[in-house]
Amino acid sequence: MRTQVGIVGAGPAGLFLSHLLQRAGIDCVVIETRSRKYIEERVRAGVLEQESSDVLRQMGLGARMDREGLIHHGINLRFNERLHHIDFQDLVGKGVMVYGQHEVVKDLVQARLDSGAPLLFEVSDVAVDGLDTKTPTVRFTHQGQAQELVCDFIAGCDGFHGICRPAIPEGVLKTYERTYPFGWLGILAQAQPASEELIYSNHDNGFALLSMRSPELGRLYLQCDPEEDLANWPDARIWEELNLRLAGGKGLPEGPILQKGVTQMRSFVVEPMQYGRLLLAGDAAHIVPPTGAKGMNLAFADVRVMARALDAFYRDGRDDQLAAYSEVCLRRIWKAQRFSWFMTSLMHRFPDDSAFDRRRQLADLDYLTGSRAAMTSLAENYVGLPMEWALS
Ligand code: RFL
Ligand code: PHB
């Protein structure tokens, strides 16, 4: 098999890239180790920056999002038993779209299959080689047949645990990493969300977040131990703790819990995000803790920069944008890393905090919610910083 761009991974990065390339008239093949059902049911992120939803809409991929997604004009921060609203619309004239990542994935998969373009599920034994040649190759097994996909470029969109990043020779990448002494216990519940907009709560018992997937379906999170055993969290304890941290102990509408899981918190970046003709994007190159709601948006931003650079290569024979791919992406990625770290540090209880640290954290929140300048900065970051397309 021969293609222009071999895309490894059908998460938000790989799927969205396939649409951007198709629109530019560039051939690509997407391969995915999991089944279609699995990726369409994997509950993860829920917030699209304004520009992420705008670009989906412009590409003709936003019809269901516009019907079923929820536009939010702000968020709430809760601490010292009080709720403070941050009005993005008033502060920066923008908002965000609350629409599940798995719904985005479903829409992108359906549109790709409808177009008849190749998207292969349940492949195995995936390997990449020839990365520093003009014909990098993806090898894999599909329906029992060994396949060789010869490409001009490979897009490594295979997430944090993928095979593309480890295929880069040792010594090329520099890794920046921070782990946090807590995780998130996330639930999906058949329960009406108690608030129209998200609530991020800093409580003495730890962080909690109220989000949603629809007016009937709540998505809620509790700060927990990173190695937390779910057996310690029967449904009644989850609701009790959510009630305490989000609503002062009472009044949170409850309902059957449909899914439960624990997520580790990590900040991670590799530099550069490219080697020869392999370009990494999304979680394959960087991870943010979810408190800033940036992961899926960063994946989209990376592949927008990549698609532009590939378009310049095929259309005008220019490779300067490809050469600058990593550097251009990383400037914005580091700002999103900073924001995600800031939100994480602001909202969680750290086990080794002194009484001084705790008072300082609450003063940070008090300052933030009392200062229009500070709220504007938060709003500007949360709705999404402008795209950067070139080095300046
Ligand atoms: P993905 O989604 O991990 O997709 C990678 C795909 O590659 C496949 N794969 C392979 N395919 C072929 N060959 C191989 N060898 C392969 N190895 C792996 C995998 O099966 C998978 O399908 O990465 P991508 O596309 O970079 O997208 C990144 C996002 O998924 C991630 O950043 C977000 O989910 C993070 N995130 C959030 N992001 C936001 O923008 N807003 C949010 O509100 C938000 N909340 C969250 C989050 C992530 C969370 N969890 C569960 C980590 C909340 C949570 C709780
Ligand atoms: C979600 O809805 O899953 C969600 C929302 C905001 C976050 C993280 C996750 O910061």
Side-chain angles (χ1 to χ4, degrees):
M1 283 203 284
R2 182 83 180 82
T3 192
Q4 290 174 300
V5 182
I7 302 179
V8 184
L15 289 167
F16 193 49
L17 177 64
S18 74
H19 287 280
L20 291 165
L21 294 181
Q22 196 169 10
R23 200 170 66 147
I26 300 169
D27 273 349
C28 59
V29 174
V30 187
I31 62 161
E32 166 62 50
T33 43
R34 302 287 191 166
S35 67
R36 177 178 181 184
K37 184 173 180 333
Y38 183 91
I39 66 162
E40 290 189 346
E41 288 178 2
R42 188 166 48 188
V43 176
R44 281 186 167 180
V47 176
L48 287 165
E49 292 174 355
Q50 172 138 350
E51 198 171 325
S52 301
S53 59
D54 286 347
V55 74
L56 281 173
R57 192 173 300 118
Q58 282 156 19
M59 304 235 338
L61 298 164
R64 198 165 67 90
M65 171 189 78
D66 280 333
R67 279 198 310 277
E68 298 176 17
L70 308 166
I71 294 176
H72 285 200
H73 298 296
I75 55 168
N76 299 289
L77 298 184
R78 187 182 159 90
F79 61 99
N80 285 343
E81 304 297 330
R82 285 189 53 201
L83 206 59
H84 304 258
H85 186 237
I86 308 217
D87 186 336
F88 298 159
Q89 197 62 43
D90 173 46
L91 293 162
V92 294
K94 290 185 182 170
V96 292
M97 174 73 81
V98 176
Y99 187 58
Q101 176 172 322
H102 64 292
E103 306 292 357
V104 175
V105 163
K106 271 187 217 162
D107 297 343
L108 298 181
V109 166
Q110 191 60 53
R112 173 116 185 131
L113 295 175
D114 287 348
S115 76
L119 164 54
L120 311 180
F121 291 106
E122 298 179 68
V123 306
S124 54
D125 312 319
V126 183
V128 293
D129 58 44
L131 302 179
D132 50 2
T133 71
K134 288 194 170 168
T135 51
T137 302
V138 187
R139 294 171 211 285
F140 57 95
T141 304
H142 184 234
Q143 295 174 342
Q145 297 267 324
Q147 301 283 356
E148 191 180 277
L149 178 65
V150 181
C151 315
D152 297 338
F153 296 94
I154 296 175
C157 302
D158 50 349
F160 185 68
H161 300 287
I163 53 96
C164 289
R165 190 180 68 249
I168 296 176
E170 217 165 293
V172 171
L173 299 180
K174 186 160 169 49
T175 300
Y176 300 85
E177 191 164 16
R178 173 187 285 261
T179 54
Y180 298 86
F182 40 75
W184 279 13
L185 192 171
I187 64 158
L188 191 68
Q190 196 75 49
Q192 197 190 350
S195 157
E196 280 191 9
E197 294 184 335
L198 272 54
I199 303 176
Y200 289 83
S201 173
N202 179 328
H203 188 272
D204 285 344
N205 284 14
F207 171 73
L209 169 62
L210 178 147
S211 181
M212 60 208 70
R213 289 294 175 270
S214 75
E216 299 82 40
L217 211 52
R219 176 80 172 144
L220 301 113
Y221 299 95
L222 285 169
Q223 175 179 349
C224 64
D225 191 274
E227 310 293 338
E228 192 72 66
D229 182 355
L230 279 175
N232 294 332
W233 287 90
D235 293 5
R237 180 173 174 212
I238 293 179
W239 284 117
E240 189 183 337
E241 204 54 39
L242 284 169
N243 240 310
L244 194 64
R245 298 188 198 180
L246 288 163
K250 57 179 182 308
L252 202 70
E254 299 180 14
I257 294 181
L258 311 175
Q259 270 192 36
K260 269 186 223 180
V262 174
T263 307
Q264 301 250 349
M265 308 281 280
R266 172 188 277 127
S267 302
F268 174 88
V269 182
V270 290
E271 296 190 5
M273 292 165 56
Q274 63 197 105
Y275 172 74
R277 288 194 163 208
L278 170 67
L279 304 163
L280 301 175
D283 279 15
H286 43 76
I287 298 280
V288 283
T291 330
K294 289 285 161 239
M296 173 166 51
N297 297 294
L298 282 178
F300 274 16
D302 289 350
V303 297
R304 289 177 72 196
V305 175
M306 192 192 297
R308 254 202 200 202
L310 288 166
D311 190 34
F313 176 83
Y314 285 111
R315 198 183 293 269
D316 308 322
R318 287 174 52 179
D319 59 8
D320 56 319
Q321 291 189 26
L322 280 169
Y325 166 71
S326 174
E327 220 181 318
V328 168
C329 289
L330 283 164
R331 283 184 68 181
R332 196 170 177 282
I333 288 162
W334 274 108
K335 282 175 246 181
Q337 281 290 359
R338 183 209 68 82
F339 178 67
S340 305
W341 162 85
F342 161 76
M343 287 288 283
T344 304
S345 312
L346 184 70
M347 298 312 301
H348 292 76
R349 294 302 312 272
F350 285 73
D352 52 359
D353 263 5
S354 63
F356 178 89
D357 294 328
R358 177 65 177 148
R359 291 292 286 132
R360 189 202 43 72
Q361 191 188 44
L362 291 169
D364 257 349
L365 280 160
D366 194 23
Y367 165 66
L368 172 62
T369 51
S371 155
R372 189 168 173 93
M375 282 191 285
T376 305
S377 168
L378 187 149
E380 180 179 46
N381 280 278
Y382 198 97
V383 303
L385 293 175
M387 283 296 291
E388 297 187 36
W389 298 110
L391 300 173
S392 53

